[in-house]
Amino acid sequence: LQNMANQIAKTTQSLTTAADMRETTQMLMQPNSNWEEYLTPAPLSIAIMGELVFISSCQDFSINKNPPEGGFKYIRYPNSFRACLMQVCNSGWQAFNEAHNNMDQIRIHTAAVPDYMKSAVNILFNASDEVIKNLLPCQLDSINDIAEQCVNLAEGVEKKYQDVIHQIQELLEACVNAEHFYGEELENVKRKLEEAKLREQTSRQLKERSKKAMDDLSKELDNAQDAYKSAMDSIPSG
């Protein structure tokens, strides 16, 4: 313990100026100085999903045409693309809201750490070995408890966002699969339309030929009737 106290004292003495302390603090806080870059995309993503829901409201469709084996694990409403988007939007909002609440809890918990650190340093420098042995573990345990609580809160937020990521990934896979299925279905429809057009064209040609044949036959019949009438008229009556 005495060696630890000497090491802390030596480290403290090395920070001789306020500039050194500011530089050290800036270096330690640098990984956490761009939190806004991580938080800004969350509400932006929710706004984008809202726009997608608005776009999909014109015409809804199913992405359940060719579901994966075992069914969907995260999507609850595969028969409605609009409902899937709403599910992702709601899950994203819940994740962002939990992140907001948990970060506030982390802020409250970590606010108590400096007091525990001051008490621990004060015990190390001013207390006897017996007091250090009895009191220092309590201060360190309190700091450890706070750290564990913060880790649990952070992991809870991570799990929420992982659920949203899984939903989006499954939705994207289902959309690509549905696009392929609808593409094949569209090709089949186009092929059937082409076949129907060919049948219609063939039927029209047959109809035209039949009409022409009927007209020719009618003319021949008229000519035959005229010839028959002429022949009958040319026969002497006596």
Side-chain angles (χ1 to χ4, degrees):
L1 293 176
Q2 187 64 36
N3 291 335
M4 184 184 297
N6 293 335
Q7 186 176 1
I8 293 176
K10 183 178 180 180
T11 303
T12 304
Q13 291 173 0
S14 65
L15 300 175
T16 54
T17 65
D20 292 334
M21 294 187 67
R22 284 196 298 269
E23 182 178 354
T24 302
T25 302
Q26 182 179 4
M27 181 182 64
L28 293 174
M29 294 300 295
Q30 184 64 32
N32 302 321
S33 61
N34 57 344
W35 284 348
E36 68 279 0
E37 296 181 8
Y38 299 104
L39 296 177
T40 301
L44 180 61
S45 300
I46 296 176
I48 292 174
M49 293 301 296
E51 292 181 4
L52 289 177
V53 172
F54 175 75
I55 294 172
S56 68
S57 63
C58 299
Q59 183 176 359
D60 197 9
F61 57 90
S62 173
I63 57 174
N64 198 26
K65 293 295 184 180
N66 188 21
E69 295 183 3
F72 293 100
K73 295 181 179 179
Y74 302 98
I75 296 176
R76 295 196 296 267
Y77 314 105
N79 290 324
S80 172
F81 179 68
R82 190 187 314 165
C84 291
L85 288 179
M86 286 303 302
Q87 178 187 348
V88 173
C89 285
N90 292 334
S91 298
W93 181 88
Q94 291 172 3
F96 183 72
N97 187 59
E98 181 159 343
H100 173 74
N101 294 332
N102 287 12
M103 286 180 63
D104 190 55
Q105 290 295 318
I106 291 174
R107 179 186 61 81
I108 294 173
H109 287 315
T110 54
V113 172
D115 291 335
Y116 288 119
M117 290 295 297
K118 290 179 182 178
S119 298
V121 172
N122 184 47
I123 292 171
L124 282 173
F125 280 108
N126 300 321
S128 63
D129 290 346
E130 185 67 23
V131 174
I132 291 175
K133 182 178 179 180
N134 293 329
L135 296 183
L136 185 60
C138 295
Q139 304 299 319
L140 298 179
D141 287 342
S142 298
I143 296 174
N144 184 66
D145 291 341
I146 291 175
E148 289 180 351
Q149 292 177 12
C150 292
V151 169
N152 292 333
L153 290 170
E155 288 178 347
V157 173
E158 182 183 9
K159 184 180 183 303
K160 281 287 187 180
Y161 279 111
Q162 284 293 336
D163 291 340
V164 177
I165 291 173
H166 290 152
Q167 290 177 17
I168 294 175
Q169 289 175 341
E170 191 171 60
L171 179 59
L172 288 175
E173 292 176 1
C175 288
V176 172
N177 186 33
E179 181 183 10
H180 176 71
F181 180 84
Y182 282 121
E184 291 183 348
E185 196 174 60
L186 180 60
E187 290 299 325
N188 291 333
V189 171
K190 288 181 178 179
R191 186 164 52 251
K192 290 180 180 179
L193 287 175
E194 291 295 331
E195 293 175 356
K197 288 181 180 179
L198 289 175
R199 286 195 298 268
E200 181 183 1
Q201 183 178 1
T202 303
S203 176
R204 185 168 57 251
Q205 291 175 352
L206 289 174
K207 183 179 179 180
E208 290 176 354
R209 285 199 293 266
S210 298
K211 185 176 182 299
K212 186 176 182 300
M214 289 295 295
D215 291 341
D216 293 341
L217 183 60
S218 178
K219 289 180 180 179
E220 291 179 1
L221 181 60
D222 290 340
N223 292 334
Q225 287 179 347
D226 291 340
Y228 175 76
K229 184 178 180 182
S230 297
M232 292 298 294
D233 291 341
S234 63
I235 297 175
S237 59

